Amino acid sequence: MPEPITGPRPTLEAVAARAGVSRATASRVVNGGAGVRAPLVDKVRQAVEELGYVPNHAARTLVTRRNGAVAVIIAEPEFRIFSDPFFEQQVRGISRELTAHDAQLVLLWVEGRGDHDRIARYLGGGHVDGALAFSVHNDDELPALIDKSRIPTVFGGRSVVDRSLAAPYVDCDNRGGARQAVQHLVSLGRRTIAHIAGPLDLTAALDRVDGYHDVLVDADPELMCQGDFTERSGALAMAELLERRPDVDGVFASNDLMALGALRTLRERGVRVPDDVAVVGFDDMPSVVELTDPALTTVHQDIEGMGRLMVKLLMRLLDETGSPAPASVITPTSLVRRASA
Amino acid sequence: MPEPITGPRPTLEAVAARAGVSRATASRVVNGGAGVRAPLVDKVRQAVEELGYVPNHAARTLVTRRNGAVAVIIAEPEFRIFSDPFFEQQVRGISRELTAHDAQLVLLWVEGRGDHDRIARYLGGGHVDGALAFSVHNDDELPALIDKSRIPTVFGGRSVVDRSLAAPYVDCDNRGGARQAVQHLVSLGRRTIAHIAGPLDLTAALDRVDGYHDVLVDADPELMCQGDFTERSGALAMAELLERRPDVDGVFASNDLMALGALRTLRERGVRVPDDVAVVGFDDMPSVVELTDPALTTVHQDIEGMGRLMVKLLMRLLDETGSPAPASVITPTSLVRRASA
């Protein structure tokens, strides 16, 4: 058994050396083997196998258009993708930017862990030049699978500290945006400010919790309720908060959909917004904000722009002209004041 | 210049004959060329080029898992796909059935004609074993591109008569379902029955218009308004109908979303449903029906089941064990009576 390969990606030179052939021959075999005698083909293929060499099609293809395709992998089940406008907006930005690079977008998603092997096989099959992955949860195996496939990848969303991936990510300043939201509620004179958090296995949700605590260091733990970024969970969390702390006078919801749900609960209970309770969301998603009554004060992030930026970073990853690998990018957020706070 | 290839797909035997090599040699070249001398490789590749031979990876791959992937191509822009729950439901059925076959779903869509070349290149690139295409409009170039790529494909939606494709399709009995809807309104004693049609470049919409006319042979043309399957277009069409024919007492909308829009207009005008105007939709889409007030009477079609059926037909297309190519399937519809009619 060959030793497991760790460290940097094995090179074609290493394959040639192990097979005892020239680099040119190794290259021809890796590219199909045409014109190479069968015994040499076998030797090179064995070396490829033993070293775990993966031909870097990706780097060439954006030049040679071998695949001309980029996978967008959303680590969420299909019902979430189609019901949360966040994904639509991010995919729109990605789609437009990929079109500008004449690359075909192929969308994949993950219904559950049972899909991982199949997705890994697909990524390992050399059908795409690169990948963009988002909504990766902290315990998700997906980053490891992507890493193993050696497909150049850019992530949407900050990775957790202990994820040892070199892949760059694009995220907004979740923590700073949350601080802006809570500081605004404080500046309005609100004293009992609750937080409806998102799923705590997503760094975006965690960072927004941290931003809330940056401003309200001694916040009563009863003032935090967890949702799952859906409207329904926001409505339920608001009901729970009103039960626990009837004196609540400000709410920062971790996304606009949960703020929409919270507003529904407040309206149903006859609680006036913003007079009795001021509400601030996060995202500034046009399709959600236009549904809210009163109009939602929220933290703006440029979701479509972040999608475009992910593509731009990927194009730099795929560009092997010697330019350094791109660094991760955190984009700024800004508070948009409307009627709800 | 070689003559353009028409008629049946060129075989590997034809390639071998043209190149003057054995079938085994031709096969090795088509599969990468390993172990074949360079001059022969060139001859075979030239024959492949001249004959327009496309290796039928697809047939093998569902056995050998060469690609293990199936493209789902929706001939609609991204904003339509994410806003119309019809697509979500169909994709859900497809996704589940593909998972059962351990095949990876990759979703593609078409923002505009500018995308056609890129999609054709992708399909021609041999990255997928088969394709499922839906929402194809009658003037759409997509079927011709798919045909040219020789990727085994099943269409969602009946093809227009003059489309010379052999590819099978799955559709529901749009015309029969429309007849059920209109007959129900007639049986309720409605005398002035309007139709809000869908986009007339889609066979589904055309067939539903035909079903309306089957029952109401002499319907006043003023009683038909065209929408585009969105809620907004249904609301506008209803307003137009009330303007034209204030005596309207029944409406058959070509899909549930447009029925939802029509109900909104009727409510805003203070018109009682079903007392003054009875409304029937088409689709029986749970996520739309649950929003309607009163509950929507509609024509049920098994959208998710149709998605699954498309996959099953594709698997039979990809099965080259000699079984005959599958025929197109029309699935039945049924009227679901609720409060709106």
Side-chain angles (χ1 to χ4, degrees):
Chain A
M1 284 287 289
E3 285 185 23
I5 305 301
T6 53
R9 178 192 289 197
T11 60
L12 187 59
E13 286 72 16
V15 170
R18 188 166 190 119
V21 302
S22 71
R23 189 185 183 287
T25 298
S27 172
R28 277 205 296 278
V29 173
V30 164
N31 289 292
V36 180
R37 285 185 300 115
L40 293 186
V41 170
D42 290 344
K43 275 191 189 168
V44 173
R45 291 202 170 155
Q46 193 182 338
V48 163
E49 177 91 358
E50 288 171 4
L51 291 173
Y53 173 78
V54 177
N56 189 5
H57 286 153
R60 280 180 289 132
T61 46
L62 267 278
V63 182
T64 66
R65 298 266 163 235
R66 180 189 166 94
N67 292 313
V70 168
V72 172
I73 308 166
I74 309 185
E76 297 278 356
E78 156 265 329
F79 84 91
R80 281 275 297 136
I81 298 171
F82 281 88
S83 64
D84 190 332
F86 181 91
F87 298 114
E88 186 204 347
Q89 233 182 308
Q90 193 140 35
V91 167
R92 188 186 308 149
I94 289 170
S95 177
R96 289 183 179 168
E97 192 68 27
L98 283 177
T99 296
H101 285 89
D102 201 25
Q104 180 61 45
L105 188 166
V106 298
L107 183 67
L108 284 69
W109 58 87
V110 185
E111 289 291 335
R113 289 174 188 275
D115 294 348
H116 282 160
D117 283 351
R118 199 181 58 241
I119 289 174
R121 275 202 307 275
Y122 176 77
L123 291 176
H127 302 301
V128 291
D129 303 327
L132 303 169
F134 50 90
S135 208
V136 174
H137 297 249
N138 288 350
D139 62 345
D140 207 319
E141 295 166 23
L142 195 65
L145 292 176
I146 290 173
D147 200 31
K148 205 171 161 196
S149 78
R150 293 162 193 265
I151 297 265
T153 300
V154 175
F155 285 87
R158 188 174 74 80
S159 51
V160 287
V161 179
D162 61 354
R163 194 200 289 166
S164 60
L165 289 172
Y169 64 81
V170 173
D171 207 341
C172 77
D173 182 7
N174 289 300
R175 188 165 180 161
R179 277 197 299 263
Q180 290 174 297
V182 180
Q183 273 158 351
H184 178 62
L185 289 167
V186 169
S187 75
L188 295 174
R190 306 295 160 146
R191 307 291 297 269
T192 312
I193 300 171
H195 179 44
I196 302 178
L200 295 181
D201 60 347
L202 285 174
T203 53
L206 279 174
D207 290 352
R208 292 170 201 175
V209 170
D210 286 345
Y212 167 79
H213 283 129
D214 286 345
V215 181
L216 302 172
V217 179
D218 299 318
D220 180 350
E222 278 204 335
L223 283 168
M224 196 173 108
C225 249
Q226 201 194 324
D228 62 4
F229 277 161
T230 63
E231 181 188 351
R232 185 181 143 79
S233 73
L236 293 173
M238 191 67 241
E240 174 71 25
L241 287 168
L242 287 170
E243 185 89 4
R244 287 188 201 164
R245 291 292 300 260
D247 59 330
V248 61
D249 60 3
V251 174
F252 164 49
S254 192
N255 76 340
D256 288 348
L257 273 179
M258 294 197 298
L260 180 64
L263 288 173
R264 179 154 57 84
T265 294
L266 291 167
R267 191 168 51 246
E268 284 168 9
R269 307 287 171 100
V271 180
R272 293 169 306 162
V273 177
D275 311 60
D276 302 327
V277 177
V279 177
V280 181
F282 199 112
D283 283 342
D284 196 25
M285 199 99 65
S287 61
V288 180
V289 166
E290 74 185 14
L291 295 175
T292 64
D293 177 25
L296 187 67
T297 293
T298 188
V299 178
H300 177 83
Q301 60 167 326
D302 182 6
I303 303 168
E304 191 174 324
M306 287 160 66
R308 285 181 175 271
L309 193 51
M310 286 172 72
V311 175
K312 285 176 184 154
L313 293 193
L314 181 64
M315 293 301 154
R316 281 174 53 200
L317 271 185
L318 297 176
D319 166 24
E320 286 207 338
T321 56
S323 58
S328 296
V329 178
I330 301 277
T331 64
T333 57
S334 57
L335 187 76
V336 181
R337 297 179 196 201
R338 299 196 184 93
S340 73
Chain B
M1 284 289 289
E3 285 186 25
I5 306 299
T6 53
R9 177 192 291 198
T11 61
L12 186 59
E13 285 73 16
V15 170
R18 190 168 188 119
V21 301
S22 70
R23 189 185 181 286
T25 299
S27 172
R28 277 205 296 278
V29 173
V30 165
N31 288 293
V36 180
R37 286 186 298 115
L40 293 187
V41 170
D42 289 344
K43 274 191 190 169
V44 173
R45 290 201 170 156
Q46 193 181 338
V48 163
E49 177 90 0
E50 288 172 4
L51 291 174
Y53 173 78
V54 177
N56 189 5
H57 287 153
R60 279 178 291 133
T61 46
L62 269 278
V63 183
T64 65
R65 300 263 165 235
R66 183 189 167 93
N67 291 314
V70 167
V72 171
I73 310 166
I74 308 185
E76 297 278 355
E78 157 266 327
F79 84 91
R80 282 274 296 136
I81 297 170
F82 281 88
S83 64
D84 189 333
F86 181 91
F87 297 114
E88 186 205 347
Q89 234 183 307
Q90 192 139 37
V91 168
R92 188 186 308 149
I94 290 170
S95 178
R96 289 182 179 171
E97 191 67 27
L98 283 177
T99 296
H101 286 88
D102 202 25
Q104 180 60 45
L105 189 166
V106 297
L107 183 67
L108 285 68
W109 58 87
V110 185
E111 289 292 334
R113 288 174 188 277
D115 294 347
H116 282 160
D117 283 351
R118 198 181 60 241
I119 289 175
R121 274 202 309 276
Y122 176 77
L123 291 177
H127 301 301
V128 292
D129 303 327
L132 303 169
F134 51 90
S135 208
V136 174
H137 297 248
N138 288 348
D139 62 344
D140 206 318
E141 295 167 23
L142 195 64
L145 293 176
I146 290 173
D147 200 32
K148 206 171 162 196
S149 78
R150 292 164 194 263
I151 298 265
T153 300
V154 174
F155 286 86
R158 187 174 74 80
S159 51
V160 288
V161 178
D162 61 354
R163 195 200 289 167
S164 60
L165 289 173
Y169 63 81
V170 172
D171 206 340
C172 77
D173 182 7
N174 290 299
R175 189 165 180 163
R179 276 199 299 263
Q180 290 175 296
V182 181
Q183 272 158 352
H184 179 63
L185 289 167
V186 169
S187 75
L188 295 174
R190 305 298 160 145
R191 307 290 299 269
T192 311
I193 299 170
H195 179 45
I196 302 178
L200 296 181
D201 60 348
L202 285 176
T203 53
L206 279 173
D207 291 352
R208 293 171 199 175
V209 170
D210 286 344
Y212 168 78
H213 282 129
D214 286 345
V215 180
L216 302 172
V217 179
D218 298 319
D220 180 350
E222 278 203 336
L223 284 168
M224 196 173 107
C225 249
Q226 201 193 324
D228 62 5
F229 278 158
T230 63
E231 180 187 352
R232 186 181 142 79
S233 74
L236 293 172
M238 191 68 242
E240 174 70 25
L241 286 168
L242 287 170
E243 185 89 4
R244 287 188 201 163
R245 291 292 299 260
D247 59 331
V248 62
D249 60 2
V251 174
F252 164 49
S254 193
N255 76 341
D256 288 347
L257 273 178
M258 294 197 299
L260 180 65
L263 288 174
R264 180 156 56 86
T265 294
L266 291 168
R267 190 168 53 248
E268 284 168 9
R269 306 288 170 98
V271 180
R272 292 169 306 163
V273 177
D275 311 59
D276 301 328
V277 177
V279 176
V280 181
F282 200 111
D283 283 342
D284 196 26
M285 199 100 64
S287 60
V288 180
V289 167
E290 73 185 15
L291 295 175
T292 64
D293 178 26
L296 188 67
T297 293
T298 188
V299 178
H300 176 82
Q301 60 168 324
D302 182 5
I303 303 169
E304 192 176 324
M306 288 160 65
R308 285 180 175 270
L309 193 52
M310 287 172 72
V311 175
K312 285 176 184 156
L313 293 192
L314 181 64
M315 292 301 153
R316 283 175 51 197
L317 271 185
L318 296 177
D319 166 24
E320 286 206 340
T321 56
S323 58
S328 296
V329 178
I330 302 277
T331 63
T333 57
S334 58
L335 187 75
V336 181
R337 296 180 196 199
R338 298 194 185 94
S340 73

